[in-house]
Amino acid sequence: MNQFKKMNEVQNVENLIQYLQQKGQNHKYYYHYTTWDSFEKIYQNKSFLLTRGNSLNINDQHEALMKGSYYIWNKTYIGSFSHGSSENMAMWGLYGQPPQDAIRIAIPKAAMLEWVKAIEKVFIWNGGPTNQTQAKIALTDIVYASGETDGGNLSLYRDREVISTKNISGLCSVDRDKKMTGYIKNIAWRYENEVRLRIELPDCYSSEKIMIDVPEIVLNSMTIMKGPSFEPQNSKLYLQLREFGRIEESTFTHLLKFRSLCNYCVHNFEKRN
């Protein structure tokens, strides 16, 4: 397999996918913005749920409709992480709801690569794990595209790199190539710096989620950053991780205030379990 140091070395779709997978395995940490409730389920059940890429529960519907192949999306599931150590305000606001429950999980490189290597089977999820199935598994960076869909002159961005497809015939209409399903998004999402655990099943299933096991080495490597508006949790796990120094403060603790929908509502809603 070729090794690509820079994106301007790629000449076709296969090269680009190899490049993205190489970069996806080379980050110091992998970050997952979520809530404390979700983290407790991951930690206690030693499992992680991935969502089908064309699920209506995913906030980016553009990707499934306009990038790659909708048929491939029917059997492709994704788990989203990000790279770059700086806190991402948009990610806190988008994935850390309610704000008092927001956290960021950090997984170091060695543990993340060990996790991906250890995935042998995935489980179809229907409120619990059911069938087991083999799958194609990749840890990959995402490339972001700017320009007219199906056009011959797209700009492709990854981290601080950018290339034009204008004079690269092998990348013509790269955003619509079925092999790029799950590897490419619109430029509007570039701020996420996404690293994706991409799992493609051999067949289509009606389930919107699949489950993979999380090894002890990964669970034991995780550190948790509390969101800027996080409120202490009355849980055994929280107290345990804090005692072991695995809970850290946000740089913006008490300095950021996200408005929730409840601020605009006259009703007194309670959080749904």
Side-chain angles (χ1 to χ4, degrees):
M1 181 180 292
N2 295 330
Q3 294 291 318
F4 300 97
K5 294 183 178 180
K6 296 182 179 180
M7 191 161 57
N8 62 14
E9 297 175 2
V10 306
Q11 295 297 314
N12 52 48
V13 170
E14 290 77 12
N15 289 171
L16 181 57
I17 291 173
Q18 290 175 26
Y19 166 81
L20 293 172
Q21 291 181 357
Q22 289 168 15
K23 294 300 182 182
Q25 298 178 47
N26 201 35
H27 300 295
K28 187 175 181 180
Y29 285 95
Y30 297 79
Y31 299 102
H32 183 65
Y33 288 80
T34 185
T35 62
W36 180 263
D37 288 349
S38 295
F39 168 67
E40 278 206 328
K41 291 183 176 71
I42 293 170
Y43 201 93
Q44 293 172 349
N45 298 328
K46 301 179 181 180
S47 63
F48 189 85
L49 296 179
L50 295 88
T51 305
R52 196 175 65 230
N54 58 7
S55 167
L56 294 178
N57 290 319
I58 286 184
N59 51 37
D60 179 11
Q61 295 296 303
H62 178 276
E63 182 181 2
L65 293 172
M66 304 299 293
K67 305 298 181 194
S69 160
Y70 198 82
Y71 170 73
I72 303 298
W73 275 122
N74 283 329
K75 55 182 182 176
T76 301
Y77 294 75
I78 57 176
S80 295
F81 299 84
S82 62
H83 64 85
S85 58
S86 299
E87 294 178 54
N88 190 315
M89 294 300 107
M91 301 284 270
W92 281 131
L94 193 58
Y95 299 108
Q97 292 296 328
Q100 62 269 23
D101 204 29
I103 64 162
R104 186 186 75 173
I105 303 170
I107 303 174
K109 175 181 176 180
M112 190 70 179
L113 297 185
E114 186 67 28
W115 182 14
V116 175
K117 181 181 178 181
I119 301 172
E120 295 182 351
K121 292 185 177 180
V122 303
F123 300 85
I124 307 304
W125 180 268
N126 286 302
T130 54
N131 320 41
Q132 292 185 16
T133 182
Q134 301 289 342
K136 296 178 182 177
I137 299 163
L139 181 65
T140 179
D141 273 10
I142 294 300
V143 67
Y144 300 93
S146 174
E148 186 176 349
T149 297
D150 290 333
N153 186 18
L154 291 173
S155 294
L156 301 181
Y157 299 81
R158 192 214 67 93
D159 200 15
R160 298 175 183 175
E161 294 185 272
V162 57
I163 63 171
S164 169
T165 65
K166 184 176 181 179
N167 297 313
I168 307 176
S169 60
L171 293 179
C172 182
S173 299
V174 62
D175 57 333
R176 299 294 285 177
D177 192 297
K178 67 179 182 180
K179 293 187 290 293
M180 287 298 295
T181 305
Y183 291 98
I184 188 167
K185 297 182 72 169
N186 185 274
I187 188 67
W189 299 90
R190 184 184 178 189
Y191 69 89
E192 290 190 335
N193 283 330
E194 186 175 355
V195 193
R196 180 172 284 178
L197 185 53
R198 180 191 184 277
I199 297 184
E200 183 180 337
L201 306 186
D203 301 297
C204 300
Y205 290 83
S206 60
S207 175
E208 291 199 346
K209 292 186 180 294
I210 59 174
M211 188 200 85
I212 57 175
D213 293 327
V214 183
E216 290 282 354
I217 188 174
V218 177
L219 296 174
N220 293 335
S221 74
M222 291 177 173
T223 55
I224 305 300
M225 175 180 283
K226 301 187 294 185
S229 302
F230 185 86
E231 295 179 2
Q233 301 291 317
N234 184 25
S235 79
K236 182 179 179 180
L237 178 59
Y238 177 80
L239 296 175
Q240 176 186 342
L241 294 180
R242 188 178 66 177
E243 180 181 354
F244 290 130
R246 293 171 60 187
I247 302 283
E248 61 178 300
E249 298 282 341
S250 165
T251 304
F252 300 91
T253 298
H254 305 312
L255 298 176
L256 199 65
K257 187 175 182 180
F258 286 115
R259 289 188 177 185
S260 69
L261 291 177
C262 296
N263 294 125
Y264 301 97
C265 187
V266 296
H267 305 287
N268 183 23
F269 288 111
E270 294 182 357
K271 182 181 177 183
R272 183 176 64 186
N273 291 326

